Amino acid sequence: MSLIRLILELLHVKKGMILLYALNTVILILASYIFYGVNDILYPLGVSAFLLLVYLGISAVRLNTFTGRLAAARTSPHLDVDDTDVADRLIFGTMNEIHDGYNSRIYQLGSSVKERNSLFSQWIHNMKVSVSIIDLAAESGSAEALRDIREENGKLTQSLEECLNMLRLEDFSRDYRPEKVNLHRLVTKAVNARKRDFIYMGVYPKIAVDEQVEVYTDGKWCGSMLEQVLSNAIKYSHKGGTVTVVSQMNEAGVLLTVGDEGIGIDPEDVPRVFEPFFTGKNGRDYRSATGIGLYMVKYTADKLGHSVRLDSQRGAGTQVTFTFSAK
């Protein structure tokens, strides 16, 4: 801060104190003249002016130090705080907390944007592969080519739906309505939504959910999670197998388990199933796997405040368990 600006700022800040000091000096001089007959006013004026200049000088130094620290606070991620100075601790301590909060938020946003860009890049790559296969199959025109076209068209549809869901998840708070939901009706609706998949794959659903149980969730988003888990259970089940949906209560809340009797997952792949685009060994054996479904299930469950756990054994099937709050 320049000297002239510092002086002007100081006079502006201390104008009330200066006026009060000047008034006090005048009263003292008048009192000395009236009660003691003192006619010499130069001495008390000189002493008063000297004390005022000393006070203003000390205030100017403090103001200059304070404005310098404020200027540093604009760019510094963290400021040293004098704990012995109450004003310093309150002002700059609060500014440090604000800095830390904004830095944390910026880091989270940066990570979110980076992750989203990675997801969309992979989606675009997957869709380009499908488009290329469709082009090649269309040139052939055989019955096998038509099957390939239908399969790749299904992948494109699935990828587009996942993209739209991800975009909606970015603005989750505006599209979220927590309410008390009947769990049996929620499960039945999700199973009916996958009825065609059950029929096509020759897999049978079995629902063992208490019809009286209610949980707090968002019906639409929770239904989307259940449909995704059911889709996976159907996809990796053997023909004639059963997909079971069971509920139970414990001290943690309401547990809902979707289990199948399918091929299961290798032990080394289980810890990574909720990572984006991770497909593991099953993904190499089943080309339709995208590795995004369970990632979105975990993401949605976290947003809804539910927990989700996956247990699996190769050749014995997979169980996905959600924990809901009943209060």
Side-chain angles (χ1 to χ4, degrees), residues 128-141 145 148-149 152:
K128 286 177 64 179
V129 171
S130 295
V131 170
S132 298
I133 294 175
I134 289 173
D135 285 341
L136 293 173
E139 294 177 0
S140 172
D148 288 340
I149 289 175
E152 296 304 324

Side-chain angles (χ1 to χ4, degrees), residues 1-11 60 63-64 67:
M1 180 180 292
S2 65
L3 180 60
I4 295 176
R5 184 181 174 188
L6 177 64
I7 294 173
L8 292 176
E9 287 287 346
L10 181 65
L11 293 176
L63 179 60
N64 187 56
T67 54

